[in-house]
Structure formats: C-alpha cells, structure tokens
Amino acid sequence: MSMELELKNVALRAGDQLKLKGQILHDADRFQIDLGCEADELALHFNPRFHDDEDGSVLVCNSKTDGCWGDEERETHNPLQRGSEVKIVVKLTGDMFEVELPDGEEVQFPNREGMDIISYVRVRGDFRLTSFKIC
Ligand code: GAL
C-alpha cells in the first residue's frame, strides 16, 4: 500500500538535510520526495520510477510552479532497487539539491526559482518509511 507523509510550516534552509530510510516495496511503481512551499510550488520533485513507459527504471526530477510542471530531468541510471532497504539523503545547498543514493550515487537538481526556505515536504508512494530526520 502506498504511503504519504506531509509536513507543512517547516523551515529548511541551505545547509539542512533530510535523511530518509525505508524499504522500496517489492512491487513498487514509483515514489517521490517533494520539497517546496506548498503542493503546487515545488522546488524539487524527486521521483524514482520502476516501470516508466519511456525509460523503465529511471530517476525523474522536476519542479512545479503555479501548479505547472517544469522541464523534466531524467537519469536513466537508477541505482535504487525494488525490495531493497535504502537510505536517501537530500542536501540543500541553496543553489542546488543533492540527493545521495546507495552505492555513492548522487543526483543533483538546481533550485530553479531560488526558493530560500522550504516550508513544505512530502514523501509518498511505494515506499515503507522507517526513519525520517531533518538535520
Ligand atoms: C508527470 C507525473 C507527475 C510528476 C511529473 C514530473 O508525468 O504525472 O506525477 O512525476 O511527471 O515531471
């Protein structure tokens, strides 16, 4: 069953990190980690997919402004495996978001709108979250 964690009125800034641990479901289709100021204003949508129509297993990143998606970035080398226990760290550097994945892999995504304070965080999809920390 898919999960959802939604945090509002938080305040994450450059230098802060989100650390998540959990298990990607065995039959996972997708999950996502969203950072922004509300559901329609996302600076980072980090979206691993395991059955994408175009790319199969792929890491999709995007931003959302006024409810509209921006240009997608796709990384077709997806180190995330269905059924595995993983630790994912999202680092806010100010200009960028750095997503640390297993096996020393990292995905970077620019902070396109220069959102200084992240007040909204959502984690949802085919992931069993066992630990969530803001550091
Ligand atoms: C859409 C999908 C959204 C989001 C977006 C990212 O196709 O429906 O959930 O992942 O792509 O660009």
Side-chain angles (χ1 to χ4, degrees):
M1 200 176 19
S2 99
M3 61 80 60
E4 177 156 350
L5 169 77
E6 196 178 38
L7 301 177
K8 297 176 182 176
N9 300 322
V10 291
L12 307 182
R13 296 179 170 80
D16 291 342
Q17 301 185 359
L18 287 184
K19 297 186 180 180
L20 294 83
K21 288 184 192 168
Q23 185 187 26
I24 302 170
L25 300 190
H26 285 94
D27 57 353
D29 178 36
R30 54 178 285 169
F31 69 94
Q32 68 199 59
I33 301 169
D34 296 326
L35 273 62
C37 53
E38 54 168 287
D40 277 345
E41 298 288 340
L42 300 177
L44 174 69
H45 167 72
F46 172 72
N47 173 216
R49 300 182 190 177
F50 301 93
H51 277 301
D52 184 67
D53 289 344
E54 273 175 55
D55 293 317
S57 179
V58 60
L59 302 174
V60 172
C61 290
N62 207 343
S63 57
K64 198 180 221 188
T65 306
D66 279 341
C68 297
W69 292 110
D71 291 333
E72 252 181 33
E73 291 190 10
R74 288 175 166 249
E75 171 55 66
T76 52
H77 174 67
N78 181 358
L80 299 172
Q81 302 287 333
R82 290 196 291 174
S84 65
E85 301 276 347
V86 293
K87 177 181 174 188
I88 299 174
V89 181
V90 184
K91 294 183 174 175
L92 284 65
T93 73
D95 293 345
M96 303 288 292
F97 297 95
E98 297 173 356
V99 185
E100 285 185 6
L101 300 168
D103 304 327
E105 305 273 353
E106 185 182 270
V107 169
Q108 297 194 340
F109 188 75
N111 188 354
R112 289 171 171 168
E113 301 284 330
M115 204 181 281
D116 290 334
I117 298 180
I118 299 294
S119 54
Y120 177 83
V121 177
R122 180 174 59 194
V123 183
R124 76 173 173 197
D126 303 323
F127 192 79
R128 195 170 65 84
L129 190 65
T130 56
S131 167
F132 179 91
K133 283 187 210 169
I134 297 174
C135 308

